[in-house]
Amino acid sequence: MYPFAVVTVVVLSLVSTGGLASPLIKRASTCTVKSQRKAWENLTSAEKTAYINADVCLMAAPPAAGVPGAKNLWDELTYTHAAQSDYIHNVGAFLPFHRYYITAHATLIRSVCGYTGPLPYWNEPANVGALDGAAIFDPRVGFGGDGTGSSRCITDGPFAKTVLRIKEDLSTSNYCISRGLNDRSFNSAVQTNVNRCLAMANFVDAWNCIEAKPHSAGHGGVNGVMVNVKLSPGDPIFFLHHGYIDKLWWDWEALKLPARLTEIGGNNTAHGKNNPSFVNYFNDGGSITTLNHVLWSHNLVPNATIADVMDIGGDYVCSEFA
Ligand SMILES: *[C@@H]1O[C@H](CO)[C@@H](O)[C@H](O)[C@H]1NC(C)=O
Ligand SMILES: *[C@@H]1O[C@H](CO)[C@@H](O)[C@H](O)[C@H]1NC(C)=O
Ligand SMILES: *[C@@H]1O[C@H](CO)[C@@H](O)[C@H](O)[C@H]1NC(C)=O
């Protein structure tokens, strides 16, 4: 049932630059059929159910990357984000890393869980001021609703009993998917903020704009696990939120093609952090993010470079917005 999950993968210390066993999933060489990326509201009920079932499947699929304490691939996917948090947020690689990361998730649900449908994103401006009624939180054909009680654990929908494990310090202990829907935080997802970002003239300004307002709105609006900068991918809504953020970057790129397929920049490290082990492995030849920058997922999927992910229709990402 999980044909790739039995492959043994060497445990990799994050700062190690040593060799690796072959990745869980082989890299696709040519893009033949592009994945369709669609707003959640435009999936049929059957497609929504199949997508949710694929996430449920990943949460039950045996771990394969050797993450200590991980019980399934979902834990390992979360670890990949948590372990690199300081080098994938507030840095030039923020948008490229998250494009790589949602592509890794898409690859896993297809390869391990047999998902064949469209890749959904959350059309956030449509829900500003009315988070509670958003289709995405539907308990039957959605991700379940708000958290309740002091723990803010969600109590309805397909993920009500989900056990998450990876902690901020990368140790493990069981916890729930928590949420605390917050319309005030979500207000900055409004279309006027999006338009402001799309009007930016260069990559660094567009990235900073997108990461600040529309990006933080989705995390703060859902709240709970989603507002945790390291652990937010534990809530499956993360992949729809970042599917949307990735669409905004693509919308910006698409305004000037092909020029913006090679526009990149920004610092590799944020907040004065400058761990040489990381800076070296990025392969940028310095502290500024370049197209050569290496994107890494603890070998859940093969390493890629930023150059690989610049074009959503290219061989690596191989998708298009329907
Ligand atoms: C993948 O990237 C990691 C981190 O940069 C690096 O340690 C590793 O050697 C790379 N693996 C391959 C196969 O290039
Ligand atoms: C949903 O589909 C309709 C019909 O194809 C389209 O007009 C609309 O723009 C889509 N909505 C989004 C948010 O993409
Ligand atoms: C990069 O870091 C330097 C030093 O901290 C800072 O002055 C500069 O504004 C940063 N560049 C970007 C694009 O954020």
Side-chain angles (χ1 to χ4, degrees):
M1 195 172 173
Y2 308 124
F4 299 92
V6 293
V7 176
T8 308
V9 180
V10 166
V11 178
L12 172 79
S13 137
L14 183 67
V15 293
S16 152
T17 50
L20 290 168
S22 31
L24 180 62
I25 307 287
K26 293 266 176 294
R27 180 173 176 140
S29 48
T30 6
C31 176
T32 43
V33 183
K34 290 178 178 164
S35 305
Q36 300 294 300
R37 295 168 66 170
K38 292 186 178 176
W40 179 251
E41 67 227 48
N42 274 359
L43 267 62
T44 65
S45 291
E47 287 171 336
K48 288 176 177 173
T49 300
Y51 179 84
I52 285 167
N53 287 345
D55 274 348
V56 170
C57 160
L58 269 197
M59 292 170 179
V67 168
K71 294 255 197 294
N72 55 54
L73 286 178
W74 197 261
D75 293 342
E76 295 195 315
L77 200 53
T78 303
Y79 174 94
T80 294
H81 186 270
Q84 302 180 78
S85 181
D86 288 336
Y87 306 93
I88 57 175
H89 300 111
N90 304 299
V91 293
F94 168 74
L95 290 169
F97 173 81
H98 286 84
R99 179 172 288 171
Y100 167 76
Y101 189 64
I102 63 170
T103 303
H105 168 262
T107 302
L108 291 172
I109 56 175
R110 287 172 188 283
S111 308
V112 179
C113 297
Y115 182 70
T116 56
L119 301 173
Y121 67 87
W122 182 12
N123 178 26
E124 298 184 13
N127 295 141
V128 168
L131 265 183
D132 220 17
I136 202 167
F137 298 117
D138 189 286
R140 285 183 317 107
V141 282
F143 296 82
D146 203 358
T148 58
S150 56
S151 66
R152 305 301 305 173
C153 291
I154 61 171
T155 53
D156 65 3
F159 303 104
K161 299 270 187 286
T162 296
V163 176
L164 304 177
R165 282 179 199 83
I166 305 297
K167 307 282 286 185
E168 287 183 53
D169 65 359
L170 306 181
S171 69
T172 50
S173 76
N174 296 355
Y175 58 100
C176 69
I177 295 178
S178 54
R179 293 187 192 137
L181 302 191
N182 185 326
D183 275 308
R184 206 159 53 88
S185 298
F186 198 63
N187 279 341
S188 52
V190 288
Q191 189 63 38
T192 46
N193 285 342
V194 172
N195 296 347
R196 203 169 53 84
C197 297
L198 295 181
M200 294 293 172
N202 64 65
F203 171 80
V204 168
D205 289 345
W207 141 51
N208 277 304
C209 180
I210 292 171
E211 184 168 5
K213 283 281 175 62
H215 170 246
S216 60
H219 287 285
V222 178
N223 216 334
V225 166
M226 267 287 276
V227 87
N228 186 301
V229 68
K230 294 186 173 182
L231 307 179
S232 48
D235 187 334
I237 283 181
F238 175 96
F239 294 96
L240 281 81
H241 171 54
H242 269 280
Y244 170 68
I245 294 305
D246 193 49
K247 178 178 188 295
L248 299 186
W249 180 29
W250 178 249
D251 287 346
W252 180 84
E253 290 181 275
L255 291 172
K256 277 197 185 147
L257 293 175
R260 288 181 176 174
L261 294 179
T262 51
E263 261 202 59
I264 196 73
N267 290 328
N268 278 339
T269 55
H271 314 307
K273 295 201 170 73
N274 194 21
N275 182 337
S277 317
F278 282 92
V279 175
N280 294 340
Y281 91 50
F282 293 140
N283 200 32
D284 291 300
S287 59
I288 303 298
T289 309
T290 71
L291 293 173
N292 298 327
H293 189 102
V294 174
L295 304 169
W296 173 80
S297 65
H298 206 284
N299 226 17
L300 282 171
V301 301
N303 288 356
T305 62
I306 287 183
D308 288 327
V309 302
M310 291 300 290
D311 183 352
I312 62 155
D315 286 338
Y316 194 85
V317 182
C318 194
S319 69
E320 63 189 357
F321 287 95

